[in-house]
Amino acid sequence: MNITLDEIQAPIAQEMREFEIKFRQSMRSKVLLLDKIMSYIVKRKGKQMRPMFVFFSANLFAGGISDATYRGAALIELLHTATLVHDDVVDDANYRRGFFSVNALWKNKIAVLVGDYLLSKGLLLSLHNNDFELLKIVSNAVREMSEGELLQIEKARRLDITEEVYFDIIRQKTASLIASCCAVGAASAGADLTHIEKARLFGEKVGIAFQIKDDLFDYGTAEIGKPVGIDIKEKKMTLPLIYALQQASWLTKRQMIYNVKNNNGKSQVVAKVIDFVKSSGGLEYAISLMHQFANEALEILHTFEPSPSRTSLEQLIRFTIERDK
């Protein structure tokens, strides 16, 4: 895909610049150490896809982008950043998007407190402005993300994840956040509950396609930020592997599960699992389902009136499944 995120973002470029200023302001603190850490977090911002989904979704409706839209986007960024800071502590991760994590620079105790601070800032931002519907949407997403993570940890111990459980996990862990972005955008524009739910479902479909694409990167389909085979090394059961195991004989399945459980980071063992998945059609199966969810998202999107924002959301779907990182 030749189009870039900057080009997709063009119709709301001004709003995104304003949002960045407002978001920086929402993270300010009178505590020097905290302010220093907040500044560090802001400088490491990623693709900004979440605010884009919020603003484009708001523009699908007559109410359009309002002050509530900015607050909703900030709420999502604050709560999501809090979960990332806490995740790095849980995973004992020293890096996030190629930069040192907060816990690597300031240790775990400070990182946990920073995550708590971000969470409280998001809650207060909504409460001070009576954005109860937005807070309800985002809080529900954070609950689902936590449940999905815990479900994955529970299942990883036995490596007994079925395709049904896999989709439960990624719907909660990944898709719920993008779904909440779209629902918040709709709600901030004054949409009714039916249209808010339609926007949420659209985001959920995009989020599932996004996660399947991430799973495919583990098999060397592109040069990306994480090493090939990292999911296997971490004993994560993703869609290509689950499908390959479903097609395998009892003995082969047993051998491969043993390899995943006991790889200890050994490159040759991981390579054997990757070859097994590729030869079993796991990648083709995952790609077909990724396109299925992307097409379902497009079908929902096309029930809204044509507009520049609808076109940009179509481009975001294509970017999601065609990106190389």
Side-chain angles (χ1 to χ4, degrees):
M1 183 179 185
N2 295 322
I3 196 165
T4 65
L5 273 180
D6 285 341
E7 291 170 324
I8 295 172
Q9 190 189 105
I12 55 164
Q14 179 60 36
E15 288 86 348
M16 290 295 291
R17 282 191 291 270
E18 289 179 25
F19 168 72
E20 188 165 339
I21 294 168
K22 293 183 179 188
F23 183 59
R24 284 173 183 267
Q25 290 172 343
S26 72
M27 294 180 79
R28 281 185 181 156
S29 164
K30 294 177 182 177
V31 178
L32 187 60
L33 173 61
L34 196 49
D35 210 38
K36 185 178 180 181
I37 297 171
M38 293 301 105
S39 177
Y40 179 74
I41 289 173
V42 168
K43 285 177 183 174
R44 298 182 306 136
K45 70 181 189 304
K47 300 184 185 80
Q48 296 290 80
M49 287 181 72
R50 289 177 298 276
M52 288 169 66
F53 273 110
V54 175
F55 288 118
F56 284 136
S57 296
N59 268 345
L60 291 175
F61 300 93
I65 294 170
S66 64
D67 285 344
T69 312
Y70 286 95
R71 293 194 299 270
L75 170 62
I76 286 170
E77 287 295 89
L78 285 164
L79 267 60
H80 180 56
T81 305
T83 64
L84 294 181
V85 172
H86 283 161
D87 281 351
D88 287 340
V89 174
V90 171
D91 297 337
D92 199 22
N94 289 324
Y95 296 94
R96 167 74 61 179
R97 296 195 194 103
F99 294 90
F100 282 116
S101 59
V102 173
N103 52 296
L105 291 174
W106 288 282
K107 306 304 179 188
N108 285 348
K109 183 176 182 179
I110 290 176
V112 170
L113 292 170
V114 165
D116 292 345
Y117 173 78
L118 289 165
L119 182 63
S120 68
K121 289 287 279 188
L123 297 175
L124 289 169
L125 175 66
S126 296
L127 293 173
H128 286 163
N129 292 281
N130 295 324
D131 294 327
F132 301 119
E133 183 62 29
L134 307 188
L135 183 57
K136 179 181 176 183
I137 292 167
V138 181
S139 296
N140 189 59
V142 174
R143 174 189 60 78
E144 288 211 278
M145 288 161 65
S146 302
E147 287 182 352
E149 190 73 52
L150 287 164
L151 178 59
Q152 185 173 51
I153 291 170
E154 174 192 321
K155 294 296 183 180
R157 291 174 179 171
R158 294 175 55 191
L159 296 183
D160 61 347
I161 294 179
T162 62
E163 196 171 306
E164 182 181 2
V165 171
Y166 164 83
F167 279 111
D168 280 344
I169 290 171
I170 68 167
R171 183 186 58 76
Q172 291 184 301
K173 266 190 68 176
T174 304
S176 63
L177 185 64
I178 297 178
S180 72
C181 291
C182 299
V184 160
S188 74
D192 60 34
L193 291 177
T194 302
H195 284 95
I196 292 171
E197 173 58 21
K198 188 191 289 188
R200 188 203 67 78
L201 187 58
F202 161 75
E204 183 177 284
K205 302 283 188 185
V206 177
I208 292 172
F210 183 97
Q211 185 56 54
I212 296 174
K213 180 67 173 182
D214 253 20
D215 291 350
L216 288 164
F217 285 144
D218 205 46
Y219 295 88
T221 55
E223 289 299 319
I224 51 151
K226 71 176 182 179
V228 171
I230 194 69
D231 286 341
I232 296 168
K233 289 174 184 173
E234 294 178 355
K235 301 175 177 57
K236 290 179 181 175
M237 297 284 282
T238 57
L239 185 58
L241 177 56
I242 291 167
Y243 175 81
L245 290 171
Q246 286 174 346
Q247 310 311 306
S249 66
W250 177 83
L251 182 59
T252 301
K253 182 176 180 179
R254 185 178 174 185
Q255 288 172 337
M256 285 301 147
I257 289 177
Y258 177 85
N259 285 340
V260 174
K261 276 186 178 179
N262 301 282
N263 68 69
N264 296 319
K266 294 177 183 174
S267 297
Q268 66 271 27
V269 178
V270 172
K272 189 181 292 185
V273 176
I274 289 174
D275 288 342
F276 160 70
V277 170
K278 288 180 176 178
S279 64
S280 302
L283 301 189
E284 290 83 359
Y285 180 74
I287 289 169
S288 70
L289 281 187
M290 177 184 71
H291 283 290
Q292 178 185 316
F293 280 102
N295 288 334
E296 288 173 5
L298 277 171
E299 286 178 15
I300 296 171
L301 185 61
H302 287 161
T303 64
F304 296 104
E305 291 295 319
S307 67
S309 283
R310 195 185 87 166
T311 300
S312 291
L313 284 169
E314 290 171 4
Q315 292 169 337
L316 266 180
I317 295 172
R318 290 204 299 277
F319 180 87
T320 293
I321 62 175
E322 295 174 16
R323 65 200 162 96
D324 56 11
K325 61 181 178 179

